[in-house]
Amino acid sequence: MLTCDTYHMPTSLAQALSLLAEAPPGSRLISGATDILPWAREGRAGDVHLPALIDVTRIAELGGYSVKDGRVRLGAKTVYQDFLTEAPLRASLPCMPYCAIWFADDQIREQATLAGNLVNASPVADGTPPVVALNGQIELARLEGDQIARRLVPVVDFIEGPGKTGLRPGEIATAIILDDAVGYGGSFQKVGQRRSLVISVACCAALVKTDAAGAHFDDVRLALGGVGPRPIRLTEVEEALRGKAVSLKVIAEVAELAADRVGSRSRKEYRREVVVGFVKAALEEALSDQPDVHVTIRGAGETADV
Amino acid sequence: MSKLKIEMEVNQRKVSRETEPQKRLLDFLRDDLNLTGAKEGCGAGECGTCSVFVDGKLVKSCLMPVAKASGCKVETIEGLATPGQLTPVQKAFHKTGASQCGYCIPGMVMAATSALRQNPDAGIEEIKERLGGNICRCTGYTKIFEAVELARAVIAGDMPEAGLEEDAVGASYIGANVRRLDAPSKVSGRLKYAADMKMPEMLQMQVLRSPHAHARIISIDTSAAEAMEGVACVITAADVPGQDGFGVFVHDQPVMARDKVRHVGEAVAAVAAEDLLTARRALSKIKVVYEELPGVFDPLYAMEKDAPLVHDYAQNNVVKHIPVRKGDTAAGFAAADLILEDKFSTQQVEHAYLEPEAGIAYVDADDVVVVISPSQNITHHRHMLSAIIDKPINKVRFIMSPVGGGFGGKEDMIYQGMLALAAMKTHRPVQLNFTREESIIASSKRHPSQVHYKMGLTNDGRITAIEFSMLSDGGAYGMSSEGVMRKAAILSCGPYEVENLTVDTTAVYTNNTPSGAFRTFGGMQAQFATESMMDMAAEALGIDPFEIRRVNMMKIGSRTHTQQALTTASLDRVLDAAQAASRWEPGAPTVRGALRGDLGGPDTRAPCTLGARIKQTGPSGNKEKVA
């Protein structure tokens, strides 16, 4: 059971930053609250008492999103359901709808924020691989005197390990800034203990862009989750595919490279097998997901129409 | 602690309250506003019994701090229709029989309402997906999906509203689609389960549970907890005035651990306090000194000579052994052309009813001790409690509250005794609502079993003899083990006529969570072994699996394993119907895998997929498949 002495609902970033600066030690920021409430239960943290909770979801500056100059800026209040309901986000972040549909359920997605997911820094967070694949940065705001200062940190560096991030005392995550991947095909692969409402055992996000004929890979982005303490970007696979002709054979070959990136200590052999399958499936799905290109994948003696 | 001022519009009425800052929206609705249609099935966002609309968006109110809903418009199950009326969705749930125990139904109706508000044309795959956050343990979902599709058709005007009314009953009720009488109370959220009930001056109980599987209790010091402001009483086994012990067959379980604990999660002490938080804080002030004892966790080891004894009365830790003998097994095996031998094991299973255990006890003005709970066995509970609290039977009353799913798991009196003791000690009503975690740790489970099976058959598939030996882990207390072993023995060799059999079923005590009643009551574990053996025999003999069952099936005049002569038998018709319905491709069950001709087809359920709504509209159109 989670208890607190005070529950704050600041309406401006400045107010939130001062509340955070003045809050007694042990106070916490709250976004969607969909993780902290189940955390403070038997079997996890048990009964937890915190002096103050500072809820950031009434801060107007953290709302909304914009697409400009090849980048998408998501306010920290952006919830997972937005990736299913907001057409501009679906077009510019093609792997996010697939990630969102696998994330919890419609109701939890209305509350759970992408920023909260990243700041929690779970090694199996669904949100990390697609954000890393989209060259995501996290914007962190802090007070300097009575001015608000901000810095940008690549998410791949921001998440340092399980529950560990580069967030400094007094900082609040205010936005996630991502590549505008309009025109790319997207995919998200996930395996958990069951189909719905479950955290990943392992997951994989992909973005693919080919030439107009669908014959060659122009750009590929791949990231894994759940297979190590930190997010993993499969740069060697991405580089191996750049300019290559699309074929089942080449996909199968590069997918094998993913196995060696598995750093998890538990169920390692299983995860090695899973990620190879994920990379194949993600590439094939992302190829077929491109909005304006029809791809026919050819392999050695095989033809697969995706 | 600074109070929080909450102002919101709930079901179109303005509400303003001061409340505790840590309250979740669910607590505020249920405790402060007495809107108990939203339930707490898990408290962790898994089950959806608490779904409500906040500013038009469906959320899980157990995951929302109430401050987040301040200033918002909240709509609960109570607000969907005007009193006395039902919405088309609610009527459709009534029509199709979608509400059974009813505990998931308010949340399920909210999710169905949300799905059709979000997309009035939603197809069945999208409906399933949008209901994905709500769990039902009774229906298997089919009737729920039927209800949502029916409501969709009526709302869209594709079907007249009369389609929601009850079908006319012809000459017979048998075979007619009759609506359930209690459905309106469930689809409207009006039915009060035990956790929804409130009484004036009611105290809240919390239970201190054992962290050890097997330990002697050296001492329990409750003084610090009792001294706390707001604590009304603390109870332990020392408060039991009568003969302590309950159980479905053997009364081996004390109301709270007496002298030693036998499983993790066993109740050791309980606090009744003015509110839940005080009761929980008081638990941390109770000091229990344990001396850990070696435990026994493997049922095979439990029967060995040097194994620790769980109960002094039961040497070898045997709860119950049920032998069944028929014919001459040795002669039967001698006559066999083929003898198959194998081992089968099944695991512990939790019932996972959506309603966690809950109850209220009070002492009325005539000194009658009254317990209200979703007990599946109130008359037996009443008799047992009468001896435990040393009161004549006419001074003990049990009221069965609506059972939000039981499946056998609510047959054991694991908390009603504690409630009665606290009510007697305080003369105030006392309520205990289990958390989901508590329900899982403290309630009985399906018996894990190990079966050793030997079956003799002739070349034409006729069973000549069976040797069936089942060892079940009964856990720390007897509960329903004896009955489960009897049923397992009676059903052991299946609905087959077997002239020669040797059957033994045994349940033993261990320091695992107690095993108890669970749907089929031992039958499932036995049938898993028997039917697997039948399939393996069919494979070994090259016989069609349906045919080998027909060769052996009980018919009119057959004698059962326990020598009852049957005057009716229906397995022939069951096999015919199953064979036709499955479009069975005849032949021995040699592995053909995907080459089988009878896979898929109508009436088979395709695996769940996600992304129906992306597939339909597509972020980039032209979608052919999704994850």
Side-chain angles (χ1 to χ4, degrees), chain B residues 522-546:
Chain B
M524 189 285 294
Q525 293 95 323
Q527 293 331 301
F528 167 60
T530 295
E531 296 303 330
S532 299
M533 287 299 284
M534 294 301 280
D535 283 343
M536 290 189 290
E539 188 177 0
L541 294 170
I543 302 175
D544 181 277
F546 276 100

Side-chain angles (χ1 to χ4, degrees), chain B residues 236-313:
Chain B
T236 66
D239 291 288
V240 174
Q243 196 181 341
D244 199 359
F246 66 88
V248 180
F249 291 89
V250 53
H251 294 181
D252 61 353
Q253 184 162 8
V255 168
M256 281 169 283
R258 182 175 292 278
D259 305 327
K260 70 172 186 172
V261 291
R262 296 181 172 87
H263 71 95
V264 171
E266 180 167 4
V268 174
V271 174
E274 298 296 334
D275 57 77
L276 182 70
L277 198 52
T278 307
R280 284 187 82 84
R281 288 186 173 149
L283 290 187
S284 62
K285 305 216 171 187
I286 299 175
K287 290 187 190 73
V288 185
V289 179
Y290 295 98
E291 177 198 336
E292 280 194 71
L293 298 170
V296 49
F297 306 100
D298 173 10
L300 265 175
Y301 172 54
M303 293 197 298
E304 285 177 19
K305 274 205 161 46
D306 63 334
L309 280 190
V310 181
H311 293 265
D312 292 339
Y313 90 90

Side-chain angles (χ1 to χ4, degrees), chain A residues 12-34:
Chain A
S12 74
L13 183 57
Q15 195 190 353
L17 287 165
S18 354
L19 281 168
L20 183 59
E22 289 154 21
S27 300
R28 290 272 301 261
L29 292 166
I30 287 253
S31 185
T34 57

Side-chain angles (χ1 to χ4, degrees), chain B residues 83-118:
Chain B
Q85 302 293 312
L86 296 175
T87 66
V89 171
Q90 290 169 319
K91 285 182 184 169
F93 270 65
H94 186 192
K95 170 72 184 275
T96 65
S99 71
Q100 290 189 21
C101 88
Y103 207 78
C104 76
I105 289 300
M108 202 62 84
V109 166
M110 296 300 277
T113 304
S114 175
L116 295 178
R117 282 182 186 173
Q118 295 289 327

Side-chain angles (χ1 to χ4, degrees), chain B residues 51 72 158 360 401 465 520 610:
Chain B
S51 302
C72 298
D158 297 338
I360 296 175
S401 56
T520 77
L610 291 175

Side-chain angles (χ1 to χ4, degrees), chain B residues 108-263:
Chain B
M108 202 62 84
V109 166
M110 296 300 277
T113 304
S114 175
L116 295 178
R117 282 182 186 173
Q118 295 289 327
N119 183 4
D121 301 322
I124 186 65
E125 289 307 319
E126 184 173 342
I127 289 170
K128 286 181 185 175
E129 198 171 289
R130 288 190 185 272
L131 266 53
N134 294 65
I135 297 173
C136 168
R137 276 289 271 173
C138 300
T139 60
Y141 300 99
T142 299
K143 291 189 283 181
I144 292 171
F145 296 145
E146 277 172 21
V148 186
E149 289 194 288
L150 176 62
R152 179 192 60 200
V154 170
I155 292 167
D158 297 338
M159 183 189 271
E161 275 199 46
L164 298 170
E165 298 305 320
E166 184 162 27
D167 291 345
V169 177
S172 172
Y173 275 99
I174 297 170
N177 183 12
V178 183
R179 293 191 307 193
R180 296 171 70 100
L181 289 173
D182 62 0
S185 72
K186 291 169 175 171
V187 300
S188 62
R190 288 167 66 198
L191 184 67
K192 296 280 185 190
Y193 296 83
D196 303 332
M197 297 175 189
K198 281 181 187 163
M199 295 184 74
E201 297 289 291
M202 190 167 79
L203 299 165
Q204 285 296 326
M205 173 175 277
Q206 289 290 288
V207 181
L208 184 69
R209 297 187 177 279
S210 167
H212 304 295
H214 201 194
R216 201 179 316 284
I217 298 172
I218 305 297
S219 63
I220 306 178
D221 179 0
T222 60
S223 55
E226 277 169 309
M228 273 177 70
E229 188 188 337
V231 169
C233 77
V234 181
I235 53 166
T236 66
D239 291 288
V240 174
Q243 196 181 341
D244 199 359
F246 66 88
V248 180
F249 291 89
V250 53
H251 294 181
D252 61 353
Q253 184 162 8
V255 168
M256 281 169 283
R258 182 175 292 278
D259 305 327
K260 70 172 186 172
V261 291
R262 296 181 172 87
H263 71 95

